[in-house]
Amino acid sequence: MEIYTKTDDIIKKRRQILRLLLDSHPNDCLTCQKAGKCLLQKYAYEYDVKFREHDGAKREEVYDLTSPYIYKDNAKCILCGKCVRSCGQIEGRKILGFADRGYDAYITLDLGKEFKDSYCVSCNRCVSVCPVGALIDKREKGKIREWEGETKTVTCKVCEYGCSFDVHSKNGKNVAVTANSPQNGRPLCLKGRMTTELSYLDNPDNPYSKGIGEFKESDWLTVLGLKPIVNKANKLKEEGK
């Protein structure tokens, strides 16, 4: 069998699809956190498809800023479904899904449109597979761009899965940690992410815990689940054991 993936007809159809996606997409590549690693940007460059002015419909600008870990931008979503599939691969999660139909379709959460109201555990699986700037790691946003600084991949040692994270450094300082795509069944989790941040970042942002309908600023011992262990160790130390 011979399969042709770059015939004139296929290239024409790809350009038409890219044209439709760009016509609905915000023209803010210069300031988007995903610039440099955005697949829509990559293929638009490869197939020479540019933004254009038009009077047609564009995706509604709806943002979810309620999570300290994930930034969700509805206007940039291309409805590829990767986030929905990735989230659904872990038993007991399946937080993301599609809502509405046709051009009005969007990615929704289990209990509404915002992370603060959902059962999302902030594992960032969805962020790691998003090809555009629709889902961004909020703790990386504004700190470093793809072409700035250096990146080192490290392995999480919190559990046996050994998920991988990228540690981003700029001007000699480690400034951000982002989750890599969860290959080989690795689930990703907030505890592993926060442990990696505390281990490698020079000045990590304050951690947050999920409450009822909101995120609250917390402390590292609580977020990492170490407070009971530390309290007991201190008690034993006081008792001279």
Side-chain angles (χ1 to χ4, degrees):
M1 179 183 293
E2 293 185 2
I3 300 175
Y4 299 94
T5 61
K6 285 198 173 183
T7 64
D8 290 341
D9 187 51
I10 291 176
I11 290 175
K12 179 181 178 181
K13 286 181 170 59
R14 285 176 179 163
R15 295 189 81 250
Q16 290 173 341
I17 293 172
L18 286 168
R19 163 59 56 214
L20 293 173
L21 290 174
L22 286 185
D23 280 350
S24 294
H25 205 77
N27 185 1
D28 66 345
C29 292
L30 294 177
T31 57
C32 180
Q33 181 69 39
K34 197 76 173 184
K37 52 185 177 181
C38 171
L39 292 185
L40 180 58
Q41 184 184 59
K42 172 187 174 182
Y43 291 124
Y45 177 82
E46 180 178 339
Y47 289 93
D48 192 28
V49 181
K50 300 178 177 63
F51 285 105
R52 65 179 178 179
E53 296 293 332
H54 65 87
D55 297 326
K58 302 198 73 170
R59 289 189 61 79
E60 184 181 6
E61 294 185 6
V62 178
Y63 310 94
D64 184 356
L65 311 178
T66 61
S67 169
Y69 300 109
I70 301 173
Y71 178 93
K72 184 171 180 283
D73 185 346
N74 180 73
K76 294 181 181 177
C77 180
I78 59 173
L79 297 175
C80 66
K82 286 185 175 182
C83 58
V84 177
R85 291 194 298 272
S86 182
C87 185
Q89 289 171 351
I90 303 300
E91 188 66 29
R93 295 188 188 176
K94 300 182 180 179
I95 304 298
L96 301 175
F98 290 95
D100 282 347
R101 294 174 177 272
Y103 196 76
D104 295 326
Y106 64 94
I107 302 299
T108 187
L109 290 93
D110 50 353
L111 298 179
K113 296 182 179 180
E114 297 185 330
F115 284 108
K116 67 178 179 61
D117 300 315
S118 76
Y119 288 109
C120 173
V121 296
S122 304
C123 68
N124 274 36
R125 283 178 68 92
C126 57
V127 175
S128 70
V129 298
C130 181
V132 291
L135 292 166
I136 293 292
D137 190 316
K138 202 169 182 179
R139 292 171 77 86
E140 179 200 23
K141 185 175 171 59
K143 293 180 180 177
I144 190 169
R145 305 295 291 277
E146 174 68 13
W147 55 87
E148 297 177 321
E150 300 176 350
T151 299
K152 177 177 68 174
T153 301
V154 299
T155 301
C156 176
K157 297 180 175 60
V158 169
C159 72
E160 69 274 12
Y161 283 107
C163 299
S164 60
F165 292 87
D166 283 339
V167 179
H168 306 279
S169 61
K170 182 179 180 181
N171 299 326
K173 293 184 178 182
N174 294 336
V175 297
V177 166
T178 55
N180 279 329
S181 180
Q183 302 293 335
N184 302 321
R186 295 167 180 162
L188 289 180
C189 70
L190 181 61
K191 184 177 181 179
R193 154 68 179 277
M194 301 310 287
T195 299
T196 306
E197 279 198 16
L198 188 60
S199 300
Y200 289 94
L201 296 191
D202 292 289
N203 186 28
D205 293 336
N206 292 334
Y208 286 79
S209 296
K210 184 74 171 291
I212 300 177
E214 64 177 337
F215 286 87
K216 292 184 178 181
E217 190 170 323
S218 184
D219 60 84
W220 288 99
L221 293 181
T222 299
V223 170
L224 299 181
L226 298 176
K227 182 170 284 188
I229 298 175
V230 172
N231 289 341
K232 187 169 184 177
N234 290 335
K235 182 180 178 180
L236 292 174
K237 183 177 182 181
E238 292 174 357
E239 296 174 354
K241 296 181 180 181

